[in-house]
Amino acid sequence: MLTLSYEIFANTSRVRVSDGQMMPIMTGCHTASSALIIVLPQLGDFDSMEYAWWLQRDKALLAQNNIALRVVAIGARGAGQKFCDYTGFDPDHLFVDATASLHQQLELYPGLQVKLPFLSPTQQAWFNLLVMCAGIGSPGTLKEVLRGYTGDKNSPSLFSSNETINISPFPSFQGNLFDKVGQDYQRPFELATLRLKNMIEVLTNWHIYVEDGRYLTQRGATFLFDQNQNLLYQHRDKGILGFAENMSNPLQFLRNINWVFHR
């Protein structure tokens, strides 16, 4: 595995979604107490959508600890703009990499790579993606899919009681529907509902999110550096729906670090 250093990111420039400028992805991080760098798969990947949801949910945690957030994802700027419109993610903190070159430099898991000579590169990527969705070459995927339906008492609730949940073309409903089976934890079908909402967004806008299908299987990673550029934490995705070490609470690792010591 690659020996990771902060300079890999400091010396990497990509297109920033907010203004279309090519610039170092660590621009503006020098005043922060630490830097959280998330390398996402395709912007149309379900993992990317779900991870962005958690990042939005825990914005206060990042702000309280003066953590600079930078995200690099596979896609074009238009995909990045659409992604930010849907998720609410700050386009100033999102950079796009159309050819997954940073993922390759970091030696991240490219996903299942079965080669079938009669398929084009994009068709091969689709084939491998579907096989990964069945759990082959993607450990933990089926278990994680099942968790979305059965609920998780180690995870917080995902929808508030007064939240209106819109999943076109289905009728909208209130979050208190989930209260009928419990509160203050992830209820059965709650995560599956969030994933269905994300799936419909992606599939109805596929041509925007995914312009190049060759990288459909590529997985991402999470890295956290302190103010002295020391690596505090890393997680390298091993499969679909494996973007966090603790999928019940993907940003729990931030709460486990003694920030007083590292400031």
Side-chain angles (χ1 to χ4, degrees), residues 203-227:
L203 294 181
T204 54
N205 297 284
W206 186 262
H207 64 290
I208 299 176
Y209 283 115
V210 183
E211 292 187 3
D212 189 339
R214 291 177 297 171
Y215 309 107
L216 288 172
T217 60
Q218 178 67 59
R219 297 298 93 197
T222 297
F223 307 101
L224 180 67
F225 292 89
D226 68 12
Q227 59 193 1

mmCIF file with all atom_site columns, all heavy atoms in Angstrom, residues 203-227:
data_model
loop_
_atom_site.group_PDB
_atom_site.id
_atom_site.type_symbol
_atom_site.label_atom_id
_atom_site.label_alt_id
_atom_site.label_comp_id
_atom_site.label_asym_id
_atom_site.label_entity_id
_atom_site.label_seq_id
_atom_site.pdbx_PDB_ins_code
_atom_site.Cartn_x
_atom_site.Cartn_y
_atom_site.Cartn_z
_atom_site.occupancy
_atom_site.B_iso_or_equiv
_atom_site.pdbx_formal_charge
_atom_site.auth_seq_id
_atom_site.auth_comp_id
_atom_site.auth_asym_id
_atom_site.auth_atom_id
_atom_site.pdbx_PDB_model_num
ATOM 1   N N   . LEU A 1 203 ? -30.774 7.991  -11.117 1.00 0.00 ? 203 LEU A N   1
ATOM 2   C CA  . LEU A 1 203 ? -31.234 7.349  -12.350 1.00 0.00 ? 203 LEU A CA  1
ATOM 3   C C   . LEU A 1 203 ? -31.957 8.318  -13.275 1.00 0.00 ? 203 LEU A C   1
ATOM 4   O O   . LEU A 1 203 ? -31.856 8.197  -14.502 1.00 0.00 ? 203 LEU A O   1
ATOM 5   C CB  . LEU A 1 203 ? -32.139 6.159  -12.012 1.00 0.00 ? 203 LEU A CB  1
ATOM 6   C CG  . LEU A 1 203 ? -31.444 4.988  -11.298 1.00 0.00 ? 203 LEU A CG  1
ATOM 7   C CD1 . LEU A 1 203 ? -32.427 3.866  -11.036 1.00 0.00 ? 203 LEU A CD1 1
ATOM 8   C CD2 . LEU A 1 203 ? -30.246 4.480  -12.092 1.00 0.00 ? 203 LEU A CD2 1
ATOM 9   N N   . THR A 1 204 ? -32.673 9.283  -12.708 1.00 0.00 ? 204 THR A N   1
ATOM 10  C CA  . THR A 1 204 ? -33.380 10.241 -13.551 1.00 0.00 ? 204 THR A CA  1
ATOM 11  C C   . THR A 1 204 ? -32.444 11.310 -14.111 1.00 0.00 ? 204 THR A C   1
ATOM 12  O O   . THR A 1 204 ? -32.836 12.048 -15.025 1.00 0.00 ? 204 THR A O   1
ATOM 13  C CB  . THR A 1 204 ? -34.529 10.913 -12.782 1.00 0.00 ? 204 THR A CB  1
ATOM 14  O OG1 . THR A 1 204 ? -34.025 11.491 -11.570 1.00 0.00 ? 204 THR A OG1 1
ATOM 15  C CG2 . THR A 1 204 ? -35.616 9.908  -12.440 1.00 0.00 ? 204 THR A CG2 1
ATOM 16  N N   . ASN A 1 205 ? -31.231 11.382 -13.581 1.00 0.00 ? 205 ASN A N   1
ATOM 17  C CA  . ASN A 1 205 ? -30.259 12.361 -14.071 1.00 0.00 ? 205 ASN A CA  1
ATOM 18  C C   . ASN A 1 205 ? -28.930 11.697 -14.416 1.00 0.00 ? 205 ASN A C   1
ATOM 19  O O   . ASN A 1 205 ? -27.871 12.317 -14.302 1.00 0.00 ? 205 ASN A O   1
ATOM 20  C CB  . ASN A 1 205 ? -30.041 13.457 -13.015 1.00 0.00 ? 205 ASN A CB  1
ATOM 21  C CG  . ASN A 1 205 ? -31.288 14.253 -12.729 1.00 0.00 ? 205 ASN A CG  1
ATOM 22  O OD1 . ASN A 1 205 ? -31.696 15.107 -13.509 1.00 0.00 ? 205 ASN A OD1 1
ATOM 23  N ND2 . ASN A 1 205 ? -31.921 13.966 -11.594 1.00 0.00 ? 205 ASN A ND2 1
ATOM 24  N N   . TRP A 1 206 ? -29.007 10.448 -14.838 1.00 0.00 ? 206 TRP A N   1
ATOM 25  C CA  . TRP A 1 206 ? -27.799 9.657  -15.077 1.00 0.00 ? 206 TRP A CA  1
ATOM 26  C C   . TRP A 1 206 ? -26.866 10.316 -16.080 1.00 0.00 ? 206 TRP A C   1
ATOM 27  O O   . TRP A 1 206 ? -25.649 10.320 -15.911 1.00 0.00 ? 206 TRP A O   1
ATOM 28  C CB  . TRP A 1 206 ? -28.186 8.260  -15.548 1.00 0.00 ? 206 TRP A CB  1
ATOM 29  C CG  . TRP A 1 206 ? -27.017 7.336  -15.691 1.00 0.00 ? 206 TRP A CG  1
ATOM 30  C CD1 . TRP A 1 206 ? -26.341 7.024  -16.839 1.00 0.00 ? 206 TRP A CD1 1
ATOM 31  C CD2 . TRP A 1 206 ? -26.359 6.626  -14.632 1.00 0.00 ? 206 TRP A CD2 1
ATOM 32  N NE1 . TRP A 1 206 ? -25.318 6.145  -16.572 1.00 0.00 ? 206 TRP A NE1 1
ATOM 33  C CE2 . TRP A 1 206 ? -25.304 5.882  -15.228 1.00 0.00 ? 206 TRP A CE2 1
ATOM 34  C CE3 . TRP A 1 206 ? -26.567 6.534  -13.259 1.00 0.00 ? 206 TRP A CE3 1
ATOM 35  C CZ2 . TRP A 1 206 ? -24.460 5.069  -14.478 1.00 0.00 ? 206 TRP A CZ2 1
ATOM 36  C CZ3 . TRP A 1 206 ? -25.731 5.716  -12.520 1.00 0.00 ? 206 TRP A CZ3 1
ATOM 37  C CH2 . TRP A 1 206 ? -24.692 4.994  -13.122 1.00 0.00 ? 206 TRP A CH2 1
ATOM 38  N N   . HIS A 1 207 ? -27.421 10.884 -17.138 1.00 0.00 ? 207 HIS A N   1
ATOM 39  C CA  . HIS A 1 207 ? -26.598 11.495 -18.185 1.00 0.00 ? 207 HIS A CA  1
ATOM 40  C C   . HIS A 1 207 ? -25.806 12.683 -17.669 1.00 0.00 ? 207 HIS A C   1
ATOM 41  O O   . HIS A 1 207 ? -24.783 13.054 -18.250 1.00 0.00 ? 207 HIS A O   1
ATOM 42  C CB  . HIS A 1 207 ? -27.488 11.928 -19.348 1.00 0.00 ? 207 HIS A CB  1
ATOM 43  C CG  . HIS A 1 207 ? -28.471 13.005 -18.998 1.00 0.00 ? 207 HIS A CG  1
ATOM 44  N ND1 . HIS A 1 207 ? -29.557 12.784 -18.163 1.00 0.00 ? 207 HIS A ND1 1
ATOM 45  C CD2 . HIS A 1 207 ? -28.524 14.320 -19.343 1.00 0.00 ? 207 HIS A CD2 1
ATOM 46  C CE1 . HIS A 1 207 ? -30.245 13.908 -18.024 1.00 0.00 ? 207 HIS A CE1 1
ATOM 47  N NE2 . HIS A 1 207 ? -29.649 14.846 -18.721 1.00 0.00 ? 207 HIS A NE2 1
ATOM 48  N N   . ILE A 1 208 ? -26.263 13.284 -16.571 1.00 0.00 ? 208 ILE A N   1
ATOM 49  C CA  . ILE A 1 208 ? -25.534 14.405 -15.963 1.00 0.00 ? 208 ILE A CA  1
ATOM 50  C C   . ILE A 1 208 ? -24.464 13.884 -15.005 1.00 0.00 ? 208 ILE A C   1
ATOM 51  O O   . ILE A 1 208 ? -23.314 14.321 -15.047 1.00 0.00 ? 208 ILE A O   1
ATOM 52  C CB  . ILE A 1 208 ? -26.496 15.343 -15.218 1.00 0.00 ? 208 ILE A CB  1
ATOM 53  C CG1 . ILE A 1 208 ? -27.518 15.945 -16.181 1.00 0.00 ? 208 ILE A CG1 1
ATOM 54  C CG2 . ILE A 1 208 ? -25.719 16.462 -14.502 1.00 0.00 ? 208 ILE A CG2 1
ATOM 55  C CD1 . ILE A 1 208 ? -28.561 16.806 -15.497 1.00 0.00 ? 208 ILE A CD1 1
ATOM 56  N N   . TYR A 1 209 ? -24.849 12.943 -14.157 1.00 0.00 ? 209 TYR A N   1
ATOM 57  C CA  . TYR A 1 209 ? -23.942 12.458 -13.122 1.00 0.00 ? 209 TYR A CA  1
ATOM 58  C C   . TYR A 1 209 ? -22.799 11.610 -13.676 1.00 0.00 ? 209 TYR A C   1
ATOM 59  O O   . TYR A 1 209 ? -21.676 11.660 -13.169 1.00 0.00 ? 209 TYR A O   1
ATOM 60  C CB  . TYR A 1 209 ? -24.706 11.643 -12.079 1.00 0.00 ? 209 TYR A CB  1
ATOM 61  C CG  . TYR A 1 209 ? -25.501 12.472 -11.106 1.00 0.00 ? 209 TYR A CG  1
ATOM 62  C CD1 . TYR A 1 209 ? -26.891 12.400 -11.068 1.00 0.00 ? 209 TYR A CD1 1
ATOM 63  C CD2 . TYR A 1 209 ? -24.872 13.341 -10.226 1.00 0.00 ? 209 TYR A CD2 1
ATOM 64  C CE1 . TYR A 1 209 ? -27.631 13.154 -10.166 1.00 0.00 ? 209 TYR A CE1 1
ATOM 65  C CE2 . TYR A 1 209 ? -25.592 14.102 -9.324  1.00 0.00 ? 209 TYR A CE2 1
ATOM 66  C CZ  . TYR A 1 209 ? -26.972 14.012 -9.295  1.00 0.00 ? 209 TYR A CZ  1
ATOM 67  O OH  . TYR A 1 209 ? -27.691 14.781 -8.407  1.00 0.00 ? 209 TYR A OH  1
ATOM 68  N N   . VAL A 1 210 ? -23.081 10.818 -14.690 1.00 0.00 ? 210 VAL A N   1
ATOM 69  C CA  . VAL A 1 210 ? -22.076 9.873  -15.182 1.00 0.00 ? 210 VAL A CA  1
ATOM 70  C C   . VAL A 1 210 ? -21.881 10.071 -16.691 1.00 0.00 ? 210 VAL A C   1
ATOM 71  O O   . VAL A 1 210 ? -22.645 9.532  -17.500 1.00 0.00 ? 210 VAL A O   1
ATOM 72  C CB  . VAL A 1 210 ? -22.474 8.419  -14.879 1.00 0.00 ? 210 VAL A CB  1
ATOM 73  C CG1 . VAL A 1 210 ? -21.368 7.469  -15.349 1.00 0.00 ? 210 VAL A CG1 1
ATOM 74  C CG2 . VAL A 1 210 ? -22.739 8.225  -13.393 1.00 0.00 ? 210 VAL A CG2 1
ATOM 75  N N   . GLU A 1 211 ? -20.869 10.837 -17.058 1.00 0.00 ? 211 GLU A N   1
ATOM 76  C CA  . GLU A 1 211 ? -20.556 11.036 -18.471 1.00 0.00 ? 211 GLU A CA  1
ATOM 77  C C   . GLU A 1 211 ? -19.635 9.942  -18.994 1.00 0.00 ? 211 GLU A C   1
ATOM 78  O O   . GLU A 1 211 ? -19.624 9.651  -20.191 1.00 0.00 ? 211 GLU A O   1
ATOM 79  C CB  . GLU A 1 211 ? -19.884 12.401 -18.674 1.00 0.00 ? 211 GLU A CB  1
ATOM 80  C CG  . GLU A 1 211 ? -20.815 13.580 -18.428 1.00 0.00 ? 211 GLU A CG  1
ATOM 81  C CD  . GLU A 1 211 ? -20.176 14.894 -18.805 1.00 0.00 ? 211 GLU A CD  1
ATOM 82  O OE1 . GLU A 1 211 ? -19.038 14.891 -19.305 1.00 0.00 ? 211 GLU A OE1 1
ATOM 83  O OE2 . GLU A 1 211 ? -20.825 15.937 -18.595 1.00 0.00 ? 211 GLU A OE2 1
ATOM 84  N N   . ASP A 1 212 ? -18.856 9.329  -18.112 1.00 0.00 ? 212 ASP A N   1
ATOM 85  C CA  . ASP A 1 212 ? -17.918 8.276  -18.507 1.00 0.00 ? 212 ASP A CA  1
ATOM 86  C C   . ASP A 1 212 ? -18.114 7.087  -17.580 1.00 0.00 ? 212 ASP A C   1
ATOM 87  O O   . ASP A 1 212 ? -17.800 7.161  -16.385 1.00 0.00 ? 212 ASP A O   1
ATOM 88  C CB  . ASP A 1 212 ? -16.477 8.796  -18.416 1.00 0.00 ? 212 ASP A CB  1
ATOM 89  C CG  . ASP A 1 212 ? -15.456 7.838  -19.016 1.00 0.00 ? 212 ASP A CG  1
ATOM 90  O OD1 . ASP A 1 212 ? -15.766 6.638  -19.142 1.00 0.00 ? 212 ASP A OD1 1
ATOM 91  O OD2 . ASP A 1 212 ? -14.347 8.288  -19.355 1.00 0.00 ? 212 ASP A OD2 1
ATOM 92  N N   . GLY A 1 213 ? -18.661 6.023  -18.121 1.00 0.00 ? 213 GLY A N   1
ATOM 93  C CA  . GLY A 1 213 ? -19.007 4.872  -17.290 1.00 0.00 ? 213 GLY A CA  1
ATOM 94  C C   . GLY A 1 213 ? -17.865 3.929  -16.985 1.00 0.00 ? 213 GLY A C   1
ATOM 95  O O   . GLY A 1 213 ? -18.056 2.927  -16.296 1.00 0.00 ? 213 GLY A O   1
ATOM 96  N N   . ARG A 1 214 ? -16.664 4.229  -17.449 1.00 0.00 ? 214 ARG A N   1
ATOM 97  C CA  . ARG A 1 214 ? -15.546 3.301  -17.240 1.00 0.00 ? 214 ARG A CA  1
ATOM 98  C C   . ARG A 1 214 ? -15.149 3.174  -15.778 1.00 0.00 ? 214 ARG A C   1
ATOM 99  O O   . ARG A 1 214 ? -14.487 2.211  -15.393 1.00 0.00 ? 214 ARG A O   1
ATOM 100 C CB  . ARG A 1 214 ? -14.335 3.761  -18.047 1.00 0.00 ? 214 ARG A CB  1
ATOM 101 C CG  . ARG A 1 214 ? -14.489 3.619  -19.561 1.00 0.00 ? 214 ARG A CG  1
ATOM 102 C CD  . ARG A 1 214 ? -13.283 4.164  -20.284 1.00 0.00 ? 214 ARG A CD  1
ATOM 103 N NE  . ARG A 1 214 ? -13.120 5.600  -20.058 1.00 0.00 ? 214 ARG A NE  1
ATOM 104 C CZ  . ARG A 1 214 ? -12.048 6.298  -20.431 1.00 0.00 ? 214 ARG A CZ  1
ATOM 105 N NH1 . ARG A 1 214 ? -11.023 5.677  -21.009 1.00 0.00 ? 214 ARG A NH1 1
ATOM 106 N NH2 . ARG A 1 214 ? -11.987 7.601  -20.211 1.00 0.00 ? 214 ARG A NH2 1
ATOM 107 N N   . TYR A 1 215 ? -15.539 4.157  -14.957 1.00 0.00 ? 215 TYR A N   1
ATOM 108 C CA  . TYR A 1 215 ? -15.078 4.173  -13.562 1.00 0.00 ? 215 TYR A CA  1
ATOM 109 C C   . TYR A 1 215 ? -16.189 3.834  -12.570 1.00 0.00 ? 215 TYR A C   1
ATOM 110 O O   . TYR A 1 215 ? -16.105 4.180  -11.390 1.00 0.00 ? 215 TYR A O   1
ATOM 111 C CB  . TYR A 1 215 ? -14.495 5.552  -13.239 1.00 0.00 ? 215 TYR A CB  1
ATOM 112 C CG  . TYR A 1 215 ? -13.477 6.010  -14.254 1.00 0.00 ? 215 TYR A CG  1
ATOM 113 C CD1 . TYR A 1 215 ? -13.783 7.020  -15.164 1.00 0.00 ? 215 TYR A CD1 1
ATOM 114 C CD2 . TYR A 1 215 ? -12.224 5.421  -14.333 1.00 0.00 ? 215 TYR A CD2 1
ATOM 115 C CE1 . TYR A 1 215 ? -12.856 7.430  -16.116 1.00 0.00 ? 215 TYR A CE1 1
ATOM 116 C CE2 . TYR A 1 215 ? -11.294 5.815  -15.280 1.00 0.00 ? 215 TYR A CE2 1
ATOM 117 C CZ  . TYR A 1 215 ? -11.622 6.825  -16.168 1.00 0.00 ? 215 TYR A CZ  1
ATOM 118 O OH  . TYR A 1 215 ? -10.703 7.222  -17.106 1.00 0.00 ? 215 TYR A OH  1
ATOM 119 N N   . LEU A 1 216 ? -17.212 3.130  -13.033 1.00 0.00 ? 216 LEU A N   1
ATOM 120 C CA  . LEU A 1 216 ? -18.363 2.842  -12.184 1.00 0.00 ? 216 LEU A CA  1
ATOM 121 C C   . LEU A 1 216 ? -18.000 2.030  -10.949 1.00 0.00 ? 216 LEU A C   1
ATOM 122 O O   . LEU A 1 216 ? -18.637 2.166  -9.900  1.00 0.00 ? 216 LEU A O   1
ATOM 123 C CB  . LEU A 1 216 ? -19.430 2.086  -12.986 1.00 0.00 ? 216 LEU A CB  1
ATOM 124 C CG  . LEU A 1 216 ? -20.192 2.898  -14.043 1.00 0.00 ? 216 LEU A CG  1
ATOM 125 C CD1 . LEU A 1 216 ? -21.072 1.983  -14.876 1.00 0.00 ? 216 LEU A CD1 1
ATOM 126 C CD2 . LEU A 1 216 ? -21.024 3.981  -13.379 1.00 0.00 ? 216 LEU A CD2 1
ATOM 127 N N   . THR A 1 217 ? -16.998 1.178  -11.048 1.00 0.00 ? 217 THR A N   1
ATOM 128 C CA  . THR A 1 217 ? -16.671 0.303  -9.917  1.00 0.00 ? 217 THR A CA  1
ATOM 129 C C   . THR A 1 217 ? -15.662 0.923  -8.955  1.00 0.00 ? 217 THR A C   1
ATOM 130 O O   . THR A 1 217 ? -15.432 0.381  -7.865  1.00 0.00 ? 217 THR A O   1
ATOM 131 C CB  . THR A 1 217 ? -16.096 -1.039 -10.413 1.00 0.00 ? 217 THR A CB  1
ATOM 132 O OG1 . THR A 1 217 ? -14.899 -0.789 -11.168 1.00 0.00 ? 217 THR A OG1 1
ATOM 133 C CG2 . THR A 1 217 ? -17.108 -1.759 -11.296 1.00 0.00 ? 217 THR A CG2 1
ATOM 134 N N   . GLN A 1 218 ? -15.045 2.016  -9.333  1.00 0.00 ? 218 GLN A N   1
ATOM 135 C CA  . GLN A 1 218 ? -13.985 2.617  -8.518  1.00 0.00 ? 218 GLN A CA  1
ATOM 136 C C   . GLN A 1 218 ? -14.503 3.024  -7.144  1.00 0.00 ? 218 GLN A C   1
ATOM 137 O O   . GLN A 1 218 ? -15.529 3.687  -7.021  1.00 0.00 ? 218 GLN A O   1
ATOM 138 C CB  . GLN A 1 218 ? -13.408 3.838  -9.236  1.00 0.00 ? 218 GLN A CB  1
ATOM 139 C CG  . GLN A 1 218 ? -12.334 4.582  -8.452  1.00 0.00 ? 218 GLN A CG  1
ATOM 140 C CD  . GLN A 1 218 ? -11.067 3.778  -8.267  1.00 0.00 ? 218 GLN A CD  1
ATOM 141 O OE1 . GLN A 1 218 ? -10.442 3.370  -9.243  1.00 0.00 ? 218 GLN A OE1 1
ATOM 142 N NE2 . GLN A 1 218 ? -10.681 3.545  -7.024  1.00 0.00 ? 218 GLN A NE2 1
ATOM 143 N N   . ARG A 1 219 ? -13.781 2.645  -6.113  1.00 0.00 ? 219 ARG A N   1
ATOM 144 C CA  . ARG A 1 219 ? -14.156 3.001  -4.746  1.00 0.00 ? 219 ARG A CA  1
ATOM 145 C C   . ARG A 1 219 ? -13.308 4.170  -4.257  1.00 0.00 ? 219 ARG A C   1
ATOM 146 O O   . ARG A 1 219 ? -12.297 4.545  -4.854  1.00 0.00 ? 219 ARG A O   1
ATOM 147 C CB  . ARG A 1 219 ? -13.975 1.807  -3.811  1.00 0.00 ? 219 ARG A CB  1
ATOM 148 C CG  . ARG A 1 219 ? -14.856 0.598  -4.128  1.00 0.00 ? 219 ARG A CG  1
ATOM 149 C CD  . ARG A 1 219 ? -16.346 0.910  -4.023  1.00 0.00 ? 219 ARG A CD  1
ATOM 150 N NE  . ARG A 1 219 ? -16.920 1.314  -5.292  1.00 0.00 ? 219 ARG A NE  1
ATOM 151 C CZ  . ARG A 1 219 ? -18.086 1.930  -5.413  1.00 0.00 ? 219 ARG A CZ  1
ATOM 152 N NH1 . ARG A 1 219 ? -18.778 2.254  -4.337  1.00 0.00 ? 219 ARG A NH1 1
ATOM 153 N NH2 . ARG A 1 219 ? -18.548 2.246  -6.596  1.00 0.00 ? 219 ARG A NH2 1
ATOM 154 N N   . GLY A 1 220 ? -13.680 4.741  -3.110  1.00 0.00 ? 220 GLY A N   1
ATOM 155 C CA  . GLY A 1 220 ? -13.020 5.924  -2.579  1.00 0.00 ? 220 GLY A CA  1
ATOM 156 C C   . GLY A 1 220 ? -12.308 5.674  -1.263  1.00 0.00 ? 220 GLY A C   1
ATOM 157 O O   . GLY A 1 220 ? -11.927 4.547  -0.946  1.00 0.00 ? 220 GLY A O   1
ATOM 158 N N   . ALA A 1 221 ? -12.162 6.749  -0.484  1.00 0.00 ? 221 ALA A N   1
ATOM 159 C CA  . ALA A 1 221 ? -11.440 6.658  0.798   1.00 0.00 ? 221 ALA A CA  1
ATOM 160 C C   . ALA A 1 221 ? -11.668 7.923  1.601   1.00 0.00 ? 221 ALA A C   1
ATOM 161 O O   . ALA A 1 221 ? -12.139 8.950  1.085   1.00 0.00 ? 221 ALA A O   1
ATOM 162 C CB  . ALA A 1 221 ? -9.945  6.449  0.555   1.00 0.00 ? 221 ALA A CB  1
ATOM 163 N N   . THR A 1 222 ? -11.289 7.843  2.882   1.00 0.00 ? 222 THR A N   1
ATOM 164 C CA  . THR A 1 222 ? -11.370 8.980  3.799   1.00 0.00 ? 222 THR A CA  1
ATOM 165 C C   . THR A 1 222 ? -10.029 9.137  4.509   1.00 0.00 ? 222 THR A C   1
ATOM 166 O O   . THR A 1 222 ? -9.463  8.150  4.988   1.00 0.00 ? 222 THR A O   1
ATOM 167 C CB  . THR A 1 222 ? -12.468 8.747  4.855   1.00 0.00 ? 222 THR A CB  1
ATOM 168 O OG1 . THR A 1 222 ? -13.737 8.648  4.200   1.00 0.00 ? 222 THR A OG1 1
ATOM 169 C CG2 . THR A 1 222 ? -12.516 9.883  5.873   1.00 0.00 ? 222 THR A CG2 1
ATOM 170 N N   . PHE A 1 223 ? -9.532  10.382 4.574   1.00 0.00 ? 223 PHE A N   1
ATOM 171 C CA  . PHE A 1 223 ? -8.258  10.673 5.230   1.00 0.00 ? 223 PHE A CA  1
ATOM 172 C C   . PHE A 1 223 ? -8.416  11.898 6.129   1.00 0.00 ? 223 PHE A C   1
ATOM 173 O O   . PHE A 1 223 ? -9.055  12.873 5.749   1.00 0.00 ? 223 PHE A O   1
ATOM 174 C CB  . PHE A 1 223 ? -7.159  10.947 4.200   1.00 0.00 ? 223 PHE A CB  1
ATOM 175 C CG  . PHE A 1 223 ? -7.003  9.870  3.173   1.00 0.00 ? 223 PHE A CG  1
ATOM 176 C CD1 . PHE A 1 223 ? -7.543  10.017 1.901   1.00 0.00 ? 223 PHE A CD1 1
ATOM 177 C CD2 . PHE A 1 223 ? -6.324  8.694  3.470   1.00 0.00 ? 223 PHE A CD2 1
ATOM 178 C CE1 . PHE A 1 223 ? -7.418  9.023  0.946   1.00 0.00 ? 223 PHE A CE1 1
ATOM 179 C CE2 . PHE A 1 223 ? -6.191  7.689  2.515   1.00 0.00 ? 223 PHE A CE2 1
ATOM 180 C CZ  . PHE A 1 223 ? -6.735  7.849  1.254   1.00 0.00 ? 223 PHE A CZ  1
ATOM 181 N N   . LEU A 1 224 ? -7.810  11.831 7.307   1.00 0.00 ? 224 LEU A N   1
ATOM 182 C CA  . LEU A 1 224 ? -7.834  12.959 8.241   1.00 0.00 ? 224 LEU A CA  1
ATOM 183 C C   . LEU A 1 224 ? -6.413  13.292 8.663   1.00 0.00 ? 224 LEU A C   1
ATOM 184 O O   . LEU A 1 224 ? -5.683  12.423 9.156   1.00 0.00 ? 224 LEU A O   1
ATOM 185 C CB  . LEU A 1 224 ? -8.666  12.607 9.479   1.00 0.00 ? 224 LEU A CB  1
ATOM 186 C CG  . LEU A 1 224 ? -8.772  13.692 10.546  1.00 0.00 ? 224 LEU A CG  1
ATOM 187 C CD1 . LEU A 1 224 ? -9.563  14.901 10.041  1.00 0.00 ? 224 LEU A CD1 1
ATOM 188 C CD2 . LEU A 1 224 ? -9.422  13.143 11.817  1.00 0.00 ? 224 LEU A CD2 1
ATOM 189 N N   . PHE A 1 225 ? -6.008  14.535 8.449   1.00 0.00 ? 225 PHE A N   1
ATOM 190 C CA  . PHE A 1 225 ? -4.680  15.019 8.829   1.00 0.00 ? 225 PHE A CA  1
ATOM 191 C C   . PHE A 1 225 ? -4.814  16.090 9.903   1.00 0.00 ? 225 PHE A C   1
ATOM 192 O O   . PHE A 1 225 ? -5.754  16.890 9.885   1.00 0.00 ? 225 PHE A O   1
ATOM 193 C CB  . PHE A 1 225 ? -3.956  15.635 7.622   1.00 0.00 ? 225 PHE A CB  1
ATOM 194 C CG  . PHE A 1 225 ? -3.573  14.649 6.562   1.00 0.00 ? 225 PHE A CG  1
ATOM 195 C CD1 . PHE A 1 225 ? -4.452  14.347 5.530   1.00 0.00 ? 225 PHE A CD1 1
ATOM 196 C CD2 . PHE A 1 225 ? -2.338  14.027 6.583   1.00 0.00 ? 225 PHE A CD2 1
ATOM 197 C CE1 . PHE A 1 225 ? -4.094  13.445 4.535   1.00 0.00 ? 225 PHE A CE1 1
ATOM 198 C CE2 . PHE A 1 225 ? -1.973  13.117 5.604   1.00 0.00 ? 225 PHE A CE2 1
ATOM 199 C CZ  . PHE A 1 225 ? -2.856  12.829 4.575   1.00 0.00 ? 225 PHE A CZ  1
ATOM 200 N N   . ASP A 1 226 ? -3.847  16.121 10.838  1.00 0.00 ? 226 ASP A N   1
ATOM 201 C CA  . ASP A 1 226 ? -3.866  17.178 11.851  1.00 0.00 ? 226 ASP A CA  1
ATOM 202 C C   . ASP A 1 226 ? -3.157  18.421 11.311  1.00 0.00 ? 226 ASP A C   1
ATOM 203 O O   . ASP A 1 226 ? -2.708  18.465 10.160  1.00 0.00 ? 226 ASP A O   1
ATOM 204 C CB  . ASP A 1 226 ? -3.264  16.694 13.174  1.00 0.00 ? 226 ASP A CB  1
ATOM 205 C CG  . ASP A 1 226 ? -1.758  16.428 13.108  1.00 0.00 ? 226 ASP A CG  1
ATOM 206 O OD1 . ASP A 1 226 ? -1.106  16.817 12.113  1.00 0.00 ? 226 ASP A OD1 1
ATOM 207 O OD2 . ASP A 1 226 ? -1.232  15.824 14.063  1.00 0.00 ? 226 ASP A OD2 1
ATOM 208 N N   . GLN A 1 227 ? -3.047  19.458 12.166  1.00 0.00 ? 227 GLN A N   1
ATOM 209 C CA  . GLN A 1 227 ? -2.475  20.732 11.730  1.00 0.00 ? 227 GLN A CA  1
ATOM 210 C C   . GLN A 1 227 ? -0.988  20.632 11.398  1.00 0.00 ? 227 GLN A C   1
ATOM 211 O O   . GLN A 1 227 ? -0.439  21.502 10.716  1.00 0.00 ? 227 GLN A O   1
ATOM 212 C CB  . GLN A 1 227 ? -2.686  21.782 12.823  1.00 0.00 ? 227 GLN A CB  1
ATOM 213 C CG  . GLN A 1 227 ? -2.045  21.402 14.150  1.00 0.00 ? 227 GLN A CG  1
ATOM 214 C CD  . GLN A 1 227 ? -2.525  22.293 15.281  1.00 0.00 ? 227 GLN A CD  1
ATOM 215 O OE1 . GLN A 1 227 ? -3.336  23.177 15.092  1.00 0.00 ? 227 GLN A OE1 1
ATOM 216 N NE2 . GLN A 1 227 ? -2.017  22.047 16.481  1.00 0.00 ? 227 GLN A NE2 1
#
